Amino acid sequence: MAINCRRKSSPPRRFPLLRAALPVLLLAAVLTAASTVGPIPTASAADPAPITVPASWGLIPSDLTPGDSFRLLITTSGTTAATSADISTYNTFVQNLVKTGHADIQEHSSHFRAVGSTATTSAKDNTNTTGTGVPIYWLNGNKVADNYVDFYDNSWDDETNPRNENGAAANASAWHWTGSHSNGTKRTRHTGEKMTLGSSQRYTSNKYWVGRGQLDSASAGPLGVVSKTHAIASRLETYPMYGLSPVFTIDNTAPVVVSLLSDEEWVLSEDSSIAAQMEMKLSRPLIAEEIIEAPLKISGVEMGDYTLSAIGTGVSATNPGTLSPVIKFEGAGAQSALISITPSHDTADEGIAETLTISLGDGTAFDDSNLRTNVSAGAGPHATDTSAKVVIVDSGLWRPVMPSDSGLIPPGVQAGEKFRLIIATSGKTKAESSDIATYNAWVQGLVANGHTGIRPYASAFTALGSTATTDARDNTHTTGTGVRIYWLNGTKVADNYADFYDKSWDDEANPRNENGSAVSHTKYWTGSNHNGTKHTSYSLGSAVAAVRGILDGSGADQSPLNGGGTDVYSTPRWLSPMFAISPVFVAGDATEAVAGFDSSEFEATEDASGTFDAAYAGSAAAAGSFTVVVTNGTAKRGIDFTLDTPSTGSAKTLGASSSAGLALFTPIDDEADAPDRSFTAQIAATSGNLKIGAADQATFTIIDDDPTIVSLTGSGSLTEGSSTTEELTVTLGRALVDGERIDVPLVVSGTGVDNSDYRLTKKSGTGAKLTGATSNKPVIEFEGGGAEEVVLTVAVKDDKVDEELETETLTIALGDNATFDHDDLGTTVGGGADPHSTDNSSQITIADNDAPQVNLSRSENDRLITEGSNATITATLTERLDAADKSASRARSG
């Protein structure tokens, strides 16, 4: 006799413990049987001790915790006959399927047993399912039974969602060979004949009959029935079988492993609206009342350089604004946290970029007594997946190269030296807005139409102005020492930023506008103090007044940024010009190499086979490297497109032989209907002799190639002259966004129907318009954000005409694919639109309310008749009557 020992923390055991007092001969027989290749007929001789599986094992049912034991049940994907009387035949059949099944179960295939009975072995003994036992679950599915008693009560907890050895859904109505009663014993007929697997007793039709079971059946249980003759079949038939795993025990001695996962090294601008995202994941989900607190360490930056957040089931972040945040997992289902890090704009000059490193604490940090982790074995960091990096590029340090032949490099500035340009706008604006972006956009619009040499850099110009929330010096990145500043196409204004804010500029008498031309304005909106900070009472957007600066002012307390008391006006509605400052330029050299985009706009469909041509080097024999930053957009990295090396933080090297057309961005074909998506990319940093050219930024549009499916539903019946109506609904597969349009063609037809018989109108629908309603080819136009569904009403007119048919059929259908693709339609979505394969037509029956008329006629010869003679009068109906309706009456008068 073998003892089934279960030690939850012990490693898997291949043989049960044997009592020392057993005879040596019996012990040898048991060991010999256990080491044979084929499965063993009886569980007592071959069933292994519980197999310990890690808490991270992929097949652990979700409601179990470390220390719990369970078994897994399958219905085989293959079928077999029931001709063998050897239980090992069926065990081998099950094991061979499990051996090629779900990846996590294959190594345990040799321990699976068939849930079946032969003449010598019952299903209960073969599967060692005597006694109370443990819970049983479908492999990768729901619970089957709470224990062995529940397993053999002729009803399982879930009979409608079986799983096969792959963990995939299986046929819930299939018969299964069992050769068993519902209680797992050997199947016999009420008259005593055996109906076990491999039965050799014949009766009725001279066949060998074997018991079988069926899931979710009214005539049989999963294993069979007790003492009934039905639920049997000839042993030559082929059916699947149930297979049962050994007992698994979830390891409760290992700590929960915490991993920090990131697909890439992120490169973001300080001003980016995109967050770097990474996943923190536990090796198993928590259960109710369990808590794990995972410590993080952030280095390479300062507090305030970023914001951190974490979301997920049972997830929260503690101290997210510090360099030592903690991610808390709590309660049932808590396992994964999506951590987002968003760069924060600051005024400091950090050089080209700074690298934020986020790391899991070490084992000692995880064991800190201040953490509230309460899982039995604790938690610790993964061996390798412990950190992620985010490169944050300083948004104020864009260094485009000003070409040597542009005519805009100031006199005395040598190749490689840095400088900035300032303009006094030719146009005027009000000072009513408190949003600095309003003024930046306004000056950028002027520069975009200004001097041809400066237009490519228009988007980087910023207004020299202060609002209640932003100082002029921060908006223009003019803190620190800085570089020389010149009037565009003019003379020097200041030697550096300190000189720029000393209340006087080197040349205030010769300002230049965005065209490089002289201007005569003297007073400019600034909302600032002399030093470029915001005026505490009269910044831009103030309700009562705003500060203006003055050029070449004569007062002691007047400066280009603050004209003194006489120039604080009470009406921000007045129009005045502004100053605007360029990015930092590097004076170019004809022999330098340049990195840039070969176009400002790119587009490609999702299924584009190639990649976007993104960056290029000049023809000069100069080497260097560059990085690209995705700054904003509706397209999401990793979902809508992938990035090549320059976008992951590792610089792309361009040598002397480099040429145009380096591939950076590849669209992902997601096969899902969606609006077109776009993002903006910018070359953010260079090294060596490679410089950033004017074409540093480009917009990439990914055109969706999946059609929007249109459906038409609704039907009914109407009677002529009735005030009732029927409704039809036309629905798009998704809501449109601004700028999108879909035209849906309809086709109206019917037996005995023309356009005068009905009236089609729009009842409701955002962004929807019905055109051609009186024709047999109306069109529904969906346009703009939120347009998705329209409800049409169909009303019947009273034509006062008795039709030959008592009812007519009005059919309103969607056009076919070719009609949807017609050039006359105004559809603009990338993937076009197609009709639904089944929901594409509606029929409405129209009942005639006009009674048939009788018309009498006679021939000309019968107009005058004499008494005693006959006349022929013909009666004609306007409608042919059915046989049941043929009746008439007559009357005479006169």
Side-chain angles (χ1 to χ4, degrees):
M1 177 177 65
I3 299 174
N4 185 13
C5 297
R6 296 180 182 173
R7 296 193 302 169
K8 295 181 179 178
S9 60
S10 63
R13 297 177 59 84
R14 295 301 178 186
F15 305 102
L17 295 178
L18 299 174
R19 294 186 183 275
L22 287 176
V24 175
L25 181 60
L26 178 58
L27 174 61
V30 172
L31 293 178
T32 300
S35 48
T36 57
V37 175
I40 309 305
T42 59
S44 60
D47 193 73
I51 295 176
T52 301
V53 293
S56 59
W57 196 47
L59 294 177
I60 294 176
S62 61
D63 59 338
L64 300 183
T65 61
D68 289 341
S69 297
F70 64 98
R71 299 180 77 166
L72 299 175
L73 181 72
I74 66 166
T75 169
T76 61
S77 62
T79 61
T80 183
T83 54
S84 175
D86 185 353
I87 193 63
S88 65
T89 301
Y90 306 101
N91 288 338
T92 300
F93 166 70
V94 170
Q95 292 166 5
N96 286 339
L97 289 169
V98 175
K99 190 182 299 183
T100 59
H102 192 289
D104 288 339
I105 203 66
Q106 291 177 9
E107 64 176 303
H108 306 295
S109 61
S110 63
H111 301 299
F112 268 73
R113 298 290 182 266
V115 184
S117 299
T118 63
T120 58
T121 306
S122 72
K124 297 182 74 169
D125 291 337
N126 187 51
T127 57
N128 194 27
T129 46
T130 57
T132 303
V134 299
I136 298 174
Y137 296 78
W138 289 114
L139 189 150
N140 200 35
N142 299 327
K143 187 165 67 173
V144 174
D146 294 329
N147 48 47
Y148 300 161
V149 176
D150 189 22
F151 186 67
Y152 290 119
D153 69 355
N154 204 36
S155 174
W156 291 347
D157 293 1
D158 184 354
E159 297 184 18
T160 58
N161 299 287
R163 294 290 189 270
N164 62 23
E165 67 275 3
N166 298 300
N171 184 0
S173 62
W175 286 96
H176 291 71
W177 283 133
T178 66
S180 307
H181 290 300
S182 61
N183 60 3
T185 59
K186 304 168 189 175
R187 181 72 180 274
T188 58
R189 191 167 179 251
H190 65 284
T191 55
E193 295 94 338
K194 294 180 180 179
M195 293 187 289
T196 52
L197 300 172
S199 172
S200 60
Q201 292 184 332
R202 299 173 184 262
Y203 67 94
T204 67
S205 304
N206 200 31
K207 293 182 178 179
Y208 299 102
W209 294 95
V210 175
R212 56 182 182 169
Q214 187 177 35
L215 293 171
D216 200 27
S217 170
S219 62
L223 298 176
V225 293
V226 178
S227 300
K228 298 292 183 183
T229 57
H230 55 278
I232 57 177
S234 168
R235 68 181 188 176
L236 298 178
E237 300 290 335
T238 57
Y239 295 117
M241 297 188 73
Y242 304 113
L244 189 62
S245 77
V247 174
F248 294 112
T249 298
I250 307 170
D251 186 12
N252 64 351
T253 64
V256 176
V257 177
V258 183
S259 303
L260 187 62
L261 308 171
S262 179
D263 293 336
E264 56 186 305
E265 185 177 272
W266 292 78
V267 181
L268 301 174
S269 168
E270 278 185 346
D271 293 327
S272 175
S273 60
I274 293 177
Q277 293 184 330
M278 56 216 66
E279 181 186 20
M280 181 182 287
K281 189 170 185 178
L282 308 183
S283 57
R284 68 166 176 87
L286 301 186
I287 61 171
E289 300 184 3
E290 282 191 318
I291 296 175
I292 287 180
E293 290 193 330
L296 288 171
K297 179 182 178 181
I298 294 178
S299 59
V301 294
E302 299 177 353
M303 288 189 298
D305 286 344
Y306 67 94
T307 58
L308 180 147
S309 63
I311 59 173
T313 300
V315 169
S316 60
T318 304
N319 302 322
T322 70
L323 297 178
S324 301
V326 173
I327 306 301
K328 179 181 179 182
F329 297 84
E330 182 173 15
Q335 185 178 20
S336 176
L338 181 64
I339 299 175
S340 298
I341 294 179
T342 305
S344 299
H345 174 74
D346 60 26
T347 60
D349 185 340
E350 290 105 353
I352 292 296
E354 52 188 343
T355 300
L356 180 154
T357 301
I358 178 170
S359 308
L360 291 172
D362 58 18
T364 301
F366 268 85
D367 293 337
D368 192 314
S369 60
N370 292 318
L371 298 180
R372 291 176 289 175
T373 298
N374 65 5
V375 295
S376 58
H382 191 275
T384 56
D385 296 330
T386 58
S387 65
K389 290 185 178 182
V390 182
V391 178
I392 303 176
V393 179
D394 193 322
S395 60
L397 294 177
W398 185 44
R399 306 284 193 259
V401 174
M402 180 63 72
S404 58
D405 58 355
S406 66
L408 294 179
I409 297 177
V413 175
Q414 303 301 312
E417 292 184 339
K418 301 178 180 65
F419 65 95
R420 298 182 76 170
L421 300 175
I422 187 172
I423 65 167
T425 63
S426 62
K428 299 180 180 182
T429 187
K430 298 177 182 179
E432 295 177 319
S433 175
S434 59
D435 185 357
I436 194 64
T438 302
Y439 305 102
N440 288 339
W442 180 71
V443 299
Q444 289 165 7
L446 293 173
V447 176
N449 292 285
H451 191 290
T452 55
I454 207 67
R455 291 177 186 176
Y457 312 99
S459 63
F461 269 73
T462 50
L464 184 64
S466 299
T467 63
T469 57
T470 305
D471 290 339
R473 60 194 304 140
D474 292 337
N475 187 52
T476 56
H477 295 283
T478 47
T479 57
T481 303
V483 300
R484 285 172 286 180
I485 300 175
Y486 296 81
W487 290 113
L488 189 152
N489 199 33
T491 53
K492 187 173 67 174
V493 173
D495 292 325
N496 49 46
Y497 299 160
D499 187 25
F500 187 68
Y501 290 118
D502 68 354
K503 294 181 63 174
S504 67
W505 290 348
D506 294 2
D507 184 356
E508 297 183 18
N510 299 287
R512 292 289 189 273
N513 63 20
E514 65 276 7
N515 297 301
S517 304
V519 292
S520 58
H521 308 312
T522 57
K523 298 176 182 180
Y524 299 81
W525 288 126
T526 67
S528 306
N529 297 314
H530 301 298
N531 63 358
T533 59
K534 67 180 72 69
H535 194 283
T536 55
S537 300
Y538 304 126
S539 59
L540 301 177
S542 171
V544 294
V547 170
R548 293 200 302 181
I550 188 169
L551 287 177
D552 215 16
S554 58
D557 198 35
Q558 292 184 327
S559 75
L561 274 84
N562 190 308
T566 59
D567 281 289
V568 175
Y569 287 88
S570 60
T571 53
R573 296 190 304 273
W574 286 16
L575 295 170
S576 286
M578 297 187 74
F579 299 117
I581 299 180
S582 76
V584 175
F585 290 108
V586 177
D589 187 297
T591 62
E592 288 181 327
V594 180
F597 293 98
D598 55 8
S599 175
S600 61
E601 295 184 356
F602 294 90
E603 66 177 33
T605 57
E606 286 181 341
D607 61 352
S609 58
T611 55
F612 297 114
D613 287 338
Y616 65 92
S619 58
S625 62
F626 69 93
T627 56
V628 173
V629 174
V630 175
T631 55
N632 56 59
T634 55
K636 303 302 180 185
R637 177 170 24 194
I639 298 176
D640 299 308
F641 64 93
T642 57
L643 305 182
D644 195 7
T645 305
S647 301
T648 63
S650 301
K652 172 74 81 176
T653 299
L654 299 178
S657 61
S658 298
S659 61
L662 295 176
L664 297 181
F665 305 96
T666 305
I668 296 174
D669 191 355
D670 59 10
E671 298 184 358
D673 176 32
D676 297 344
R677 282 91 62 206
S678 64
F679 63 92
T680 301
Q682 181 174 339
I683 297 179
T686 59
S687 65
N689 294 323
L690 187 64
K691 305 301 180 183
I692 299 178
D696 75 303
Q697 187 168 311
T699 299
F700 297 81
T701 300
I702 300 172
I703 300 175
D704 188 74
D705 62 354
D706 302 295
T708 301
I709 302 301
V710 184
S711 61
L712 169 63
T713 57
S715 61
S717 59
L718 296 170
T719 301
E720 287 184 348
S722 172
S723 61
T724 60
T725 60
E726 291 290 353
E727 293 184 355
L728 309 179
T729 303
V730 178
T731 307
L732 305 182
R734 65 171 175 85
L736 301 185
V737 299
D738 290 342
E740 288 188 315
R741 172 173 167 174
I742 289 179
D743 284 359
V744 176
L746 300 178
V747 178
V748 181
S749 61
T751 305
V753 177
D754 60 34
N755 296 339
S756 63
D757 290 332
Y758 67 92
R759 181 172 62 255
L760 187 65
T761 57
K762 171 192 165 185
K763 179 181 179 181
S764 62
T766 300
K769 181 173 67 173
L770 175 65
T771 63
T774 59
S775 71
N776 61 355
K777 292 184 178 180
V779 174
I780 303 171
E781 299 174 2
F782 291 91
E783 187 168 15
E788 184 176 14
E789 182 178 277
V790 64
V791 177
L792 305 177
T793 58
V794 180
V796 176
K797 301 176 183 179
D798 190 356
D799 58 8
K800 308 297 183 183
V801 175
D802 173 40
E803 281 83 12
E804 181 177 352
L805 298 175
E806 293 184 358
T807 59
E808 302 168 332
T809 300
L810 172 66
T811 300
I812 300 178
L814 299 175
D816 57 17
N817 285 337
T819 307
F820 266 81
D821 295 337
H822 201 282
D823 292 340
D824 291 342
L825 299 180
T827 297
T828 62
V829 295
D834 286 338
H836 194 279
S837 59
T838 56
D839 295 336
N840 53 33
S841 180
S842 173
Q843 291 188 334
I844 297 175
T845 58
I846 303 174
D848 185 19
N849 70 337
D850 299 296
Q853 303 296 315
V854 179
N855 297 319
L856 301 177
S857 62
R858 65 173 183 255
S859 67
E860 290 295 330
N861 296 332
D862 291 333
R863 286 185 176 275
L864 295 175
I865 61 175
T866 60
E867 290 183 358
S869 62
N870 295 322
T872 301
I873 299 175
T874 302
T876 304
L877 289 175
T878 57
E879 175 183 332
R880 176 174 294 179
L881 299 181
D882 293 333
D885 295 330
K886 291 180 179 178
S887 64
S889 62
R890 62 181 180 178
R892 61 184 179 181
S893 63

